[in-house]
Amino acid sequence: MQIDHIVTQLAPSETDRIKAEMDARGLPFEPDWGKRAKGFHVSNIWIGEQYFELVTITAPDNLWQPEWVERFVRGERGTCCLFIRLEGDLEGAQRALSAAGLNPGPIQRTSFRFFFNLLQKRMPWRFFLCPKLPGTDIELGFIQYDDGALARFRRYMVPNAEEQGLNGLSHAVLASHEPDAANALLERAGAALKGQLPVAAEPATGGHALRLSAHADAARAGLAFTVFDAQVQA
């Protein structure tokens, strides 16, 4: 199991601030290269095969994930979901996590309607969501790509921090007001899936909601930057 991506919901002005920080670190980020659909805009910060999915809601009537729209309307901003990439049986993983008490939601496939809502584009992945981890505002998601989809998708992972020596995200640590409960749940999830999740919890101190470790070339060792409430450290 490995990190796939982090969903971060933002006000439009925050994207500009993140762009300025990435530029200052010499790391590529092109917000205008993202996708736009009815009522929302998504832009990605690629770090190898992992990424931040930065989402701005632009209209009340939109096609974004409904439960995340509700959170946005309530005023929640920042990291809202950490996705773990799964191989193998997604339905089996969902059943195992349910038995372990994580209360996973239904399996979904991302799709978007366009051309006056007459056509639908189905994306080559399926996923399900679990509730917020104890003491955090961060949900845990599990995603599985269709056969061969990740390799085909690789050409769209641009611009990519790999070009500047950052090669991927390896581990996540969530700030929790209930770290013992959060870690116990993560351990149950790992046991249910017969592996170790690349995520743990630590006591919240009022700083970042999420810390991420990055694989880096020697020249980039020690590099750190922030994506709203998440810190990346090489």
Side-chain angles (χ1 to χ4, degrees), residues 3 24 61 82 97 104 111 117 132 153 195 201 211 219:
I3 295 170
D61 184 16
L82 171 67
L97 291 173
S111 62
N117 215 32
K132 294 178 182 179
F153 198 52
R211 293 191 298 110

Side-chain angles (χ1 to χ4, degrees), residues 84 93 99-100 114 181 188:
I84 305 300
F114 61 101
R188 292 205 311 272

Side-chain angles (χ1 to χ4, degrees), residues 60-100:
D61 184 16
N62 60 73
L63 299 176
W64 185 234
Q65 195 73 20
E67 54 266 54
W68 293 341
V69 173
E70 291 179 9
R71 294 180 59 178
F72 189 90
V73 170
R74 290 198 300 266
E76 294 187 33
R77 300 291 185 273
T79 303
C80 72
C81 188
L82 171 67
F83 271 95
I84 305 300
R85 188 183 307 163
L86 290 180
E87 307 289 342
D89 181 7
L90 191 65
E91 285 80 6
Q94 182 198 41
R95 290 192 298 270
L97 291 173
S98 179

